Amino acid sequence: MERHIDWHIRTPLLVESLVETGQCAYLRGVSTELALHRLVNVAERALRSREIAVGIFLDIEGAFSHATFRSMVTALRRKGVSEVCVRFIGDMLETCSVISTIHGITRSRVVERGCPQGGVLSPLFWIVLVDEVLQCLDSLDIGTVLQLC
């Protein structure tokens, strides 16, 4: 089901808006190579014009596991994802539970936040969520390139 939802919401308009803000992760047609090309292009342009270019590289620890359900759903709405899909995704996230059995003892717990590990939609949730940060940086004329590893 997640693949069908992914196919439905990953419209050319959504993908184009993500690429415009510097996203180079989990999108068909863009890659690590594009991210490196953009980075080198900025550095070369600064050298030619005798300006300074500063590179900041971040490793956001637990990025996928700390995102709240509400923030992901809100970001999807802001990106114009259909309300039917947003409600389905919200319900899917909020009803997710984890069941673990160790030495014959089984425990279950409702998941309170985070993108489902190994979920088809999880990378899209994260890049839509982080896109708002990239838009803010872009409005301050700070160029960004996002490549998740």
Side-chain angles (χ1 to χ4, degrees):
M1 184 60 143
E2 278 191 69
R3 288 196 194 285
H4 291 289
I5 297 291
D6 184 59
W7 175 81
H8 184 74
I9 65 177
R10 203 180 281 255
T11 63
L13 187 62
L14 175 66
V15 172
E16 184 179 316
S17 75
L18 294 169
V19 172
E20 282 178 7
T21 57
Q23 300 265 12
C24 291
Y26 305 114
L27 299 170
R28 188 171 287 129
V30 293
S31 64
T32 302
E33 188 175 309
L34 176 62
L36 289 171
H37 173 74
R38 287 178 172 175
L39 186 63
V40 169
N41 189 31
V42 168
E44 287 176 342
R45 205 173 34 225
L47 285 171
R48 277 194 306 273
S49 61
R50 298 181 185 263
E51 293 179 346
I52 296 172
V54 176
I56 300 173
F57 302 85
L58 301 174
D59 178 7
I60 303 173
E61 185 177 335
F64 281 85
S65 57
H66 287 92
T68 65
F69 299 153
R70 176 184 239 170
S71 64
M72 289 184 277
V73 166
T74 300
L76 289 167
R77 277 194 178 105
R78 285 188 182 143
K79 280 294 183 189
V81 173
S82 75
E83 189 59 29
V84 171
C85 289
V86 171
R87 282 198 321 260
F88 175 84
I89 290 165
D91 288 344
M92 178 187 75
L93 292 170
E94 290 174 5
T95 59
C96 185
S97 62
V98 176
I99 301 170
S100 177
T101 303
I102 300 174
H103 301 296
I105 300 171
T106 301
R107 297 282 187 254
S108 67
R109 182 174 177 186
V110 174
V111 178
E112 296 175 359
R113 67 175 163 229
C115 301
Q117 184 158 351
V120 171
L121 289 167
S122 295
L124 184 62
F125 294 161
W126 174 248
I127 63 175
V128 167
L129 181 60
V130 79
D131 195 63
E132 294 183 26
V133 174
L134 299 179
Q135 286 177 7
C136 288
L137 292 171
D138 192 48
S139 71
L140 298 171
D141 201 26
I142 299 172
T144 58
V145 176
L146 178 69
Q147 176 62 47
L148 302 173
C149 300

